[in-house]
Amino acid sequence: MEGRSYYRLKQTDYNGENETFRAVLLDFGKSDKSFSMTSVGPNPFINELQVNFSSDIEGVAEFMLYNVQGTVSFRESMDISRGSNSVNLSILNDLPPGIYFLKLISGDSTTEPVKLVRK
């Protein structure tokens, strides 16, 4: 899946009252084969994730974890090297249980989001 999608949630209570929330943007940029996640785990996870990825470039990558509403829950930039890389994201203690998406961004390259479940 690539491109931009806008989502708006409308909640209707049992008493008939409703509330419409602001629209959020999920930007699923075009995948670049030169920068891709090879594995992410465990899934479901509790407090940490092991992210393995490959890159044809050397530089800085941003790890972005966001929830189903599109709100960024975790963001961290790290130096990456050309070839295979492995990163342990272990500062996820404050995340509530739920469904999340992880993607990596480096320069103009973005990986396809990976769906994850936090226990």
Side-chain angles (χ1 to χ4, degrees):
M1 177 158 92
E2 63 183 59
R4 290 183 173 189
S5 296
Y6 291 88
Y7 294 91
R8 181 180 306 184
L9 179 66
K10 181 176 183 179
Q11 175 182 317
T12 303
D13 296 334
Y14 289 113
N15 64 5
E17 292 181 20
N18 61 57
E19 181 178 358
T20 302
F21 297 89
R22 68 176 177 83
V24 294
L25 167 67
L26 290 183
D27 188 358
F28 298 101
K30 186 175 179 186
S31 177
D32 187 342
K33 299 276 189 230
S34 65
F35 185 67
S36 62
M37 283 189 273
T38 54
S39 67
V40 179
N43 192 12
F45 69 98
I46 297 175
N47 291 328
E48 60 184 62
L49 286 168
Q50 183 71 35
V51 181
N52 299 305
F53 60 98
S54 62
S55 177
D56 286 346
I57 58 173
E58 190 172 295
V60 176
E62 181 177 46
F63 295 77
M64 190 166 64
L65 189 69
Y66 52 95
N67 62 23
V68 294
Q69 289 85 20
T71 303
V72 176
S73 303
F74 173 83
R75 177 180 280 165
E76 187 170 335
S77 295
M78 296 181 188
D79 292 329
I80 61 169
S81 59
R82 186 173 287 125
S84 295
N85 292 266
S86 183
V87 171
N88 186 21
L89 302 177
S90 60
I91 48 176
L92 305 173
N93 296 333
D94 296 332
L95 290 178
I99 297 173
Y100 293 88
F101 297 91
L102 175 70
K103 71 177 178 179
L104 307 178
I105 303 165
S106 183
D108 293 336
S109 299
T110 302
T111 62
E112 290 291 326
V114 173
K115 182 179 175 181
L116 300 164
V117 176
R118 165 77 154 77
K119 283 187 186 181

